[in-house]
Amino acid sequence: MKTTPWWFTAQTNVPNMPMLPLQKCLGIPEHNVRVITRRVGGGFGGKAMKAIPVATACALAAHKFRRPVRTYLNRKIDMIMAGGRHPMEITYNVGFKSNGKVTALQLDILINAGISVDISPLMPRNILSGLKKYDWGALSFDIKLCKTNHSSKTAMRAPGEVQGSYIAETVIEHVASTLFMDVDSVRNINFYRYDSLKLFYDFAAGDPAEYTLPSIWNKLAASSSFKQRVEIIKEFNRCKVWKKRGISRVPIVHQVFVRPTPGKVSILRDGSVVVEVGGIELGQGLWTKVKQMAAFGLSSIKCDGVENLLDKVRIIQADTLSLTQGGITAGSTTSESSCEAVRLCCEVLVERLAPLRETLQGQMGSVRWDELISKAYMESLNLSATSHYSPDFNSKQYLNYGAAVSEVEVNLLTGETAILRSDIIYDCGQSLNPAVDLGQIEGAFVQGIGFFMLEEYTTNSDGLVVADGTWTYKIPTIDTIPKQFNVEIHSSGHHRQRILSSKASGEPPLLLAASVHCATRAAVREARQQLHSWGCMDESYSTFNLEVPATMPAVKELCGLDSVESYLQWEMGRTSRLG
C-alpha cells in the first residue's frame, strides 16, 4: 500500500474489495482510493469479507503516516479469523407415501453465525437453493441466524448450497430406510417433472429441452455400470466381515445468478491487445476464458494473421479507477459475464475497423492484422472500447445440472474410508473451455470431499478456534482423491439466453461430493446390519445420523467401538450351538 498526502493505492489480493469501507474509514472521496487486484489464486469466499478489516487498518496507517504500509497475516491468525463454514442444527418432519414420494417437508434450521453478520444473511436463501433439487411437494421452513461467541462465519465455495444439498440427501435416505426401499429409487421418484421445475424456478428453468437432469441421470447409470456394481458390492459385503462398501448416485439442481460486469479492450500500435475486466482471477480460469474471447471476438474482422491473435492478447490487473463498477467476483458466473463484456468491446472495435479493412482490401487484395492496426493508428481511429454487460431479465438466472456416482470402502476396525471410484457427468452447456471446466469440476468435487469427510473446524468452550493449522485441520490430499476418477462434460447444445451457450462450472460440482458421504453412510449401514445379525443392535440399526464431516472417529463409532468383541461372542455362541 502506497500513499501521498491526498491519494493512496492499495495493492491487495482481495477480490474486488469494496472501496466504501476505506472511504468511510478515512473520510476521503472514493477517487482518492485506488484498489489494484492481481491474480489471487484460491480465493474462494473468505477473502471477500475477512480481508476488509485488515486492508482498512493498513490504509488507515498509510494515510496517517504518509508512507507505504504492508500488512499480512500468518496462517494461524488467518485460520482463526476465517471462522469456517456455518454450523447448523436441523430438525425436520417429512411426509411421504408408501412408494417413497415425498409430499411435505417442514424444516427448522438454526445457523451458528458467530459474533458478527458477515455474509450470514445470504445463508437462508442459499440453503433453500441447495435443498430444492428435489420436489418436496409442500415445503415449509423456519431458518434463524444465531449470534454466538464463536468467530464470525464466512463464505466458502457454495456457501449454504452445500449444506442444503446435504439436508436434502439426509431426508431422502431417511425416507428410504424407513420404507426399507432402495434409496436410488426414492431419489428417482422425487425428481422434478418439467412442469413442477417451472413452478419452483420460473424463468430460470428455461425451455423444456434445457432440463437435462433425467438424461444425465440415466447416462451416468450406464457409463458407471451402476446397477452391475450394486450387485457386486452386495456380494462383497456378504463375504467380507471387516470391510464394507457402499455406492451412491446423487443429482444436483443448482441455480446461479449472472451479475453485471465491465470490460475494456485496447489494441496497441503493434497489433497486440490489452484487456481489462471487472472479474478477478481466483484460480477459476477467468483470464484464460477472457483471453480466448478477446481473440475470438476480434478475429471476426477476417483479415490475415488473426489466427495468431491469442498470442497477442494480455489480461492485466483489475483497477478500481480504470473499471469503476467491477462489483464482486462470486457465484461462478463472473467468467461468463466478463467474457460477454469483452465480446461487446470487440464488436465495437470490429465495427470501427471494418470500413478501413474494406478500403485496404480493395487497394491491396488482402490485408494483415498488424498492417490494418498500423493504418488505423495513422487514421486516428479510436482503438480502445469499454462496455458494461448487464444481463436482461431472462438471462439473470439459470439452472445447472449434474450427477455423480461414488463408491467407498470402510474399514470397520479403524473407521478409515477409502474412495474407490467417482464418476461425474456435468452439464456445461457449450463449454467456453473444456480443459478449464474439467479442472473446475474435479477441483470443486475434491473441495467437497474435504467438507463432507475431513475438515473439522473445532472450537473450545470459549468459542476460540482450536484447529488453527494443518496439523489439526485436515484438507484433502493425494490419498483422499478417488482412486478412479471419471469426469465427463455433457454438452447440452444451444442455449439462447446463455453467453455463447455456456454454463458455470465453479461451485455446482462441489455439491456432488455428497455422493461420497452418502456412499459412506451406505457402507456404515451394512456394518450396522452385520452388528444386528450378531445380536448387538436392535431394529433401529438402519436409522442413524452420520455427521459432517464423516471423520474416522465418527465412522468407527457408528460401526461399533466393540465390534471385535461382539464378533467373537457371536462366533463362540454360533460354535456352541453347532456343537
Side-chain angles (χ1 to χ4, degrees), residues 106-293:
Q106 190 270 328
L107 289 161
D108 292 299
I109 302 177
L110 301 176
I111 304 174
N112 181 346
I115 60 172
S116 62
V117 174
D118 205 280
I119 61 101
S120 297
L122 299 177
M123 292 297 291
R125 188 200 71 180
N126 290 3
I127 292 170
L128 291 175
S129 178
L131 181 75
K132 289 195 303 180
K133 64 178 178 178
Y134 295 112
D135 182 359
W136 302 111
L139 178 62
S140 172
F141 52 87
D142 182 15
I143 305 177
K144 293 184 173 68
L145 295 174
C146 304
K147 185 175 182 179
T148 68
N149 70 333
H150 288 197
S151 56
S152 177
K153 306 306 174 184
T154 194
M156 174 54 182
R157 214 171 198 183
E161 290 104 340
V162 67
Q163 290 96 332
S165 181
Y166 165 71
I167 296 168
E169 297 303 338
T170 299
V171 173
I172 289 292
E173 298 217 347
H174 194 174
V175 170
S177 65
T178 302
L179 295 173
F180 296 98
M181 286 182 63
D182 173 41
V183 68
D184 202 64
S185 301
V186 177
R187 288 192 177 99
N188 221 347
I189 200 172
N190 285 290
F191 274 4
Y192 285 104
R193 302 182 309 276
Y194 177 74
D195 56 348
S196 59
L197 184 80
K198 189 75 174 176
L199 181 66
F200 269 91
Y201 289 101
D202 198 19
F203 63 89
D207 301 325
E210 294 182 44
Y211 182 40
T212 57
L213 182 58
S215 61
I216 288 174
W217 188 251
N218 295 329
K219 183 179 180 182
L220 182 64
S223 64
S224 66
S225 304
F226 179 71
K227 292 182 180 178
Q228 297 91 320
R229 288 164 63 196
V230 167
E231 297 304 318
I232 293 171
I233 288 171
K234 286 180 180 178
E235 181 62 20
F236 178 91
N237 290 335
R238 189 183 67 81
C239 298
K240 300 292 184 179
V241 175
W242 303 116
K243 288 186 177 180
K244 300 296 179 183
R245 290 181 180 178
I247 189 169
S248 182
R249 180 169 51 151
V250 166
I252 56 165
V253 178
H254 188 280
Q255 186 174 12
V256 297
F257 300 85
V258 182
R259 295 180 179 85
T261 306
K264 181 179 180 181
V265 178
S266 304
I267 306 174
L268 305 182
R269 187 185 297 270
D270 63 351
S272 59
V273 182
V274 174
V275 179
E276 298 176 66
V277 288
I280 303 302
E281 174 59 77
L282 304 170
Q284 79 279 44
L286 182 146
W287 278 10
T288 302
K289 290 182 176 180
V290 166
K291 188 175 182 178
Q292 286 181 295
M293 181 62 81

Side-chain angles (χ1 to χ4, degrees), residues 60-118:
L60 178 62
H63 187 68
K64 172 70 175 177
F65 296 108
R66 297 295 193 267
R67 61 187 303 170
V69 175
R70 182 184 181 190
T71 302
Y72 64 92
L73 306 180
N74 62 34
R75 174 55 60 202
K76 183 174 181 178
I77 295 174
D78 186 58
M79 289 193 69
I80 291 171
M81 282 185 60
R85 291 185 185 266
H86 293 71
M88 300 179 191
E89 181 177 290
I90 301 105
T91 306
Y92 63 86
N93 292 296
V94 58
F96 50 92
K97 297 180 180 178
S98 59
N99 65 351
K101 180 68 182 79
V102 175
T103 56
L105 177 63
Q106 190 270 328
L107 289 161
D108 292 299
I109 302 177
L110 301 176
I111 304 174
N112 181 346
I115 60 172
S116 62
V117 174
D118 205 280

Side-chain angles (χ1 to χ4, degrees), residues 503-577:
K503 284 191 170 186
S505 63
E507 292 178 277
L510 187 146
L511 278 58
L512 291 173
S515 62
V516 175
H517 190 272
C518 292
T520 304
R521 186 156 41 190
V524 170
R525 186 177 292 109
E526 290 294 325
R528 292 169 67 84
Q529 184 176 9
Q530 181 173 259
L531 285 174
H532 172 67
S533 69
W534 295 344
C536 306
M537 195 168 284
D538 59 25
E539 293 295 334
S540 64
Y541 71 88
S542 64
T543 303
F544 59 93
N545 181 36
L546 178 60
E547 296 288 342
V548 173
T551 57
M552 286 177 61
V555 171
K556 172 59 181 171
E557 183 175 359
L558 288 173
C559 291
L561 294 175
D562 54 354
S563 56
V564 175
E565 291 84 347
S566 300
Y567 172 73
L568 292 174
Q569 290 177 5
W570 172 79
E571 186 66 29
M572 290 172 62
R574 188 171 70 96
T575 303
S576 62
R577 287 193 300 271

Side-chain angles (χ1 to χ4, degrees), residues 220-462:
L220 182 64
S223 64
S224 66
S225 304
F226 179 71
K227 292 182 180 178
Q228 297 91 320
R229 288 164 63 196
V230 167
E231 297 304 318
I232 293 171
I233 288 171
K234 286 180 180 178
E235 181 62 20
F236 178 91
N237 290 335
R238 189 183 67 81
C239 298
K240 300 292 184 179
V241 175
W242 303 116
K243 288 186 177 180
K244 300 296 179 183
R245 290 181 180 178
I247 189 169
S248 182
R249 180 169 51 151
V250 166
I252 56 165
V253 178
H254 188 280
Q255 186 174 12
V256 297
F257 300 85
V258 182
R259 295 180 179 85
T261 306
K264 181 179 180 181
V265 178
S266 304
I267 306 174
L268 305 182
R269 187 185 297 270
D270 63 351
S272 59
V273 182
V274 174
V275 179
E276 298 176 66
V277 288
I280 303 302
E281 174 59 77
L282 304 170
Q284 79 279 44
L286 182 146
W287 278 10
T288 302
K289 290 182 176 180
V290 166
K291 188 175 182 178
Q292 286 181 295
M293 181 62 81
F296 171 78
L298 292 175
S299 66
S300 63
I301 193 66
K302 298 191 184 304
C303 63
D304 296 341
V306 293
E307 63 274 6
N308 298 319
L309 266 181
L310 190 64
D311 297 331
K312 296 179 180 290
V313 179
R314 180 189 174 194
I315 317 298
I316 63 173
Q317 62 198 18
D319 186 330
T320 55
L321 293 188
S322 179
L323 294 178
T324 58
Q325 295 172 278
I328 187 170
T329 297
S332 302
T333 58
T334 312
S335 295
E336 296 174 54
S337 54
S338 296
C339 284
E340 182 64 5
V342 167
R343 191 188 68 81
L344 294 174
C345 292
C346 292
E347 277 189 352
V348 173
L349 293 172
V350 168
E351 185 179 350
R352 291 175 187 169
L353 288 167
L356 179 60
R357 183 211 54 169
E358 292 174 4
T359 301
L360 292 175
Q361 282 185 337
Q363 296 172 354
M364 304 164 58
S366 65
V367 60
R368 293 190 56 78
W369 168 260
D370 51 357
E371 293 172 344
L372 175 64
I373 300 306
S374 179
K375 187 64 175 177
Y377 262 81
M378 293 175 64
E379 296 287 338
S380 296
L381 286 181
N382 182 1
L383 294 182
S384 183
T386 59
S387 68
H388 188 263
Y389 167 63
S390 183
D392 60 31
F393 181 77
N394 292 321
S395 301
K396 285 184 177 180
Q397 303 174 36
Y398 63 85
L399 300 179
N400 286 88
Y401 306 106
V405 169
S406 290
E407 180 181 347
V408 305
E409 182 177 283
V410 171
N411 186 322
L412 274 59
L413 297 175
T414 64
E416 179 187 5
T417 301
I419 308 171
L420 303 180
R421 177 175 170 181
S422 290
D423 297 77
I424 299 172
I425 298 180
Y426 182 76
D427 184 359
C428 271
Q430 291 184 8
S431 173
L432 291 174
N433 185 313
V436 168
D437 287 333
L438 275 172
Q440 289 299 296
I441 295 166
E442 293 170 352
F445 187 83
V446 172
Q447 280 186 317
I449 291 173
F451 170 75
F452 282 107
M453 303 301 295
L454 299 168
E455 299 178 43
E456 194 169 21
Y457 206 83
T458 54
T459 57
N460 62 22
S461 59
D462 295 324

